Amino acid sequence: MLALRLTRSAHTAVQLRRLLVAAASAGTGFLLLSTLGHALGHPDPASSALRLAWCAVPLAATVYFAVAVARTDPGTRPRPGLSAIGLGPARLMAVSAATTALSCALGSLLALLVFLHLRGDLTGMPSDGAATDFLATGRPLPLPAALTLLALVPLSASAAVAVALRPREPAAGAARAGRTYGRFGAYRRTAVRESFGAYGRFGRQLGAAARGRRTAGAAPERDDTAEGVPGTAAGTEPADAGPAVPLTPPSGLPWGIAVLAVGLAVEAFASRTGGGGAPGDRPSALLGLALTAVGLALAGPGLTHLCGRLLQAVRPGALRLLAGRVLMTEATRIGRPLGVVCAVLSAAYAMASLHDREDAAGPLVVLGVLVVAGCTTATLLTAAVEAKQARAGTTAALRRLGAATGTLRRAAALRAGALLALFGPLTLVVAELSAWPLAR
């Protein structure tokens, strides 16, 4: 009941994201049911199993999108005082998992109704045509098997949300590692020791703030003490600043490049073992595309961090410095969804060269591509909204220092342009390298 109340009282944007999760669940459920219908009409177990394996891609994309929506749901976010009324972190995690299960179950029910309608079980007028052989018209539909397949999306999504939002105990000493007490009991976020007479130089900080207010069109310089913009000392920040900018890139970049190379090698091997044919007849092509996608997803955070470093190269100004440090800070949050989007685009281009256009499963392939592309794009947009909410304090501090709104917008445009300049050609190169051996 609590999950239903929170779902009903949510904001319009939250309800829209949940409806998108339900739509993705409906598309994935229809693909699973079409696999069952194909198995009923074609007694070849190998072909049916391979079609079911292809459904793992939209299933993973739907679960990934459901987790991203659950992470940005303000209704199930822990707040002070909720534990006193029995809404601790564990209870809120259970509520979020239940809300995700409800959204996915709604989509699965919609997929079942559409599938039964196309079969003619509800209206008595089944759809005809060569492209509807996956409906198994005229054959009885095993209800337990259909319900089992439809339960995959709600169970997988709710389990993934429960794992992603589970309460985590802080490590030993972690509570005091990032926050210490300064003079007169003031909080500090780092363990940097102050020199004697530091408070005597407080007027210097007031002068810097006054200069920042006078320069209304400029962002803070490198030695300012704005939130989220560290000082000149590497890895340090002032008392009222946000999280420190990570100076070391994420560790997934070498692994991502290695997995990407292995995936391209597997695709090249697939072109030597047999050319042409539909994707269902090429198991090695499925493995190569999957490895290529995993490699791009692993390399995404590292490439985003590298993009932020390149923006700050060769005597950066305030605009490039601000844009680069924001990219370095948000490398993990933005980089992984961006890498997944690049992987989906490159895989879709490769499948377009591999897929036979006269195949009867063409509409199902289009539906699968739409589900995967829509889920990954929506996940990237959701991560961008989450990143904007996470740096709300940094933006407020920059505006207090005198940064104009136009400057912040230009920094955001610079970040978007830099990411497009790096990931756009990378996606095209990987797509061409993936499509060339598979089209032979």
Side-chain angles (χ1 to χ4, degrees):
M1 293 300 297
L2 180 60
L4 288 175
R5 290 179 181 179
L6 292 176
T7 302
R8 185 179 57 185
S9 61
H11 296 286
T12 305
V14 178
Q15 297 285 15
L16 179 60
R17 289 196 291 264
R18 290 171 180 170
L19 288 178
L20 290 177
V21 171
S25 176
T28 305
F30 188 85
L31 290 175
L32 292 171
L33 290 177
S34 65
T35 303
L36 177 61
H38 181 271
L40 293 176
H42 301 78
D44 186 9
S47 177
S48 300
L50 194 55
R51 283 175 176 263
L52 185 61
W54 275 101
C55 291
V57 180
L59 176 61
T62 304
V63 172
Y64 187 51
F65 178 46
V67 171
V69 170
R71 289 173 61 93
T72 57
D73 191 351
T76 57
R77 189 173 301 169
R79 301 183 188 89
L82 290 181
S83 299
I85 59 175
L87 292 179
R91 182 72 180 277
L92 289 177
M93 177 267 296
V95 170
S96 182
T99 303
T100 303
L102 287 175
S103 301
C104 295
L106 178 62
S108 298
L109 178 60
L110 179 61
L112 179 60
L113 292 178
V114 172
F115 189 78
L116 293 178
H117 175 73
L118 293 179
R119 279 174 48 90
D121 295 338
L122 299 180
T123 60
M125 299 178 60
S127 301
D128 54 355
T132 58
D133 60 341
F134 56 87
L135 296 175
T137 304
R139 296 180 177 85
L141 183 67
L143 188 59
L147 294 180
T148 300
L149 290 176
L150 289 177
L152 287 178
V153 180
L155 292 179
S156 302
S158 59
V161 168
V163 171
L165 302 182
R166 69 186 186 278
R168 295 177 176 85
E169 293 294 335
R176 290 184 172 271
R179 178 178 292 179
T180 59
Y181 287 95
R183 297 181 181 179
F184 310 110
Y187 276 120
R188 292 187 62 91
R189 293 184 181 272
T190 59
V192 179
R193 297 180 62 88
E194 296 175 347
S195 60
F196 181 77
Y199 279 85
R201 298 189 297 272
F202 186 68
R204 171 178 171 271
Q205 306 297 333
L206 295 179
R211 289 193 301 271
R213 293 189 184 94
R214 287 194 299 267
T215 56
E221 296 295 332
R222 182 183 294 267
D223 59 344
D224 284 338
T225 56
E227 183 180 1
V229 182
T232 54
T236 64
E237 55 184 352
D240 59 343
V245 176
L247 298 180
T248 59
S251 59
L253 183 58
W255 290 102
I257 295 176
V259 175
L260 177 61
V262 171
L264 294 176
V266 171
E267 292 174 6
F269 176 77
S271 66
R272 298 177 62 89
T273 55
D281 302 330
R282 310 281 294 277
S284 54
L286 172 63
L287 179 60
L289 289 175
L291 289 176
T292 303
V294 171
L296 283 175
L298 289 176
L303 292 176
T304 305
H305 193 277
L306 177 62
C307 187
R309 277 192 173 276
L310 292 178
L311 277 179
Q312 303 175 74
V314 191
R315 300 179 62 85
L319 190 62
R320 286 197 293 138
L321 183 65
L322 178 61
R325 292 198 174 187
V326 169
L327 280 181
M328 292 172 64
T329 305
E330 300 173 353
T332 303
R333 182 183 285 114
I334 297 295
R336 185 163 289 117
L338 188 57
V340 171
V341 170
C342 294
V344 169
L345 292 178
S346 61
Y349 184 84
M351 285 181 59
S353 63
L354 180 63
H355 179 66
D356 187 5
R357 296 184 179 180
E358 298 180 356
D359 190 6
L364 297 180
V365 174
V366 173
L367 177 60
V369 170
L370 289 178
V371 169
V372 175
C375 288
T376 52
T377 305
T379 303
L380 178 60
L381 296 178
T382 304
V385 172
E386 182 183 6
K388 183 179 180 180
Q389 295 174 354
R391 64 173 183 270
T394 302
T395 305
L398 290 174
R399 289 178 177 174
R400 286 195 303 267
L401 288 175
T405 305
T407 303
L408 300 179
R409 291 178 180 176
R410 287 194 296 270
L414 182 60
R415 293 195 302 270
L419 291 176
L420 183 61
L422 178 63
F423 282 91
L426 176 64
T427 304
L428 292 178
V429 169
V430 174
E432 288 291 342
L433 292 178
S434 300
W436 178 69
L438 296 179
R440 295 176 59 185

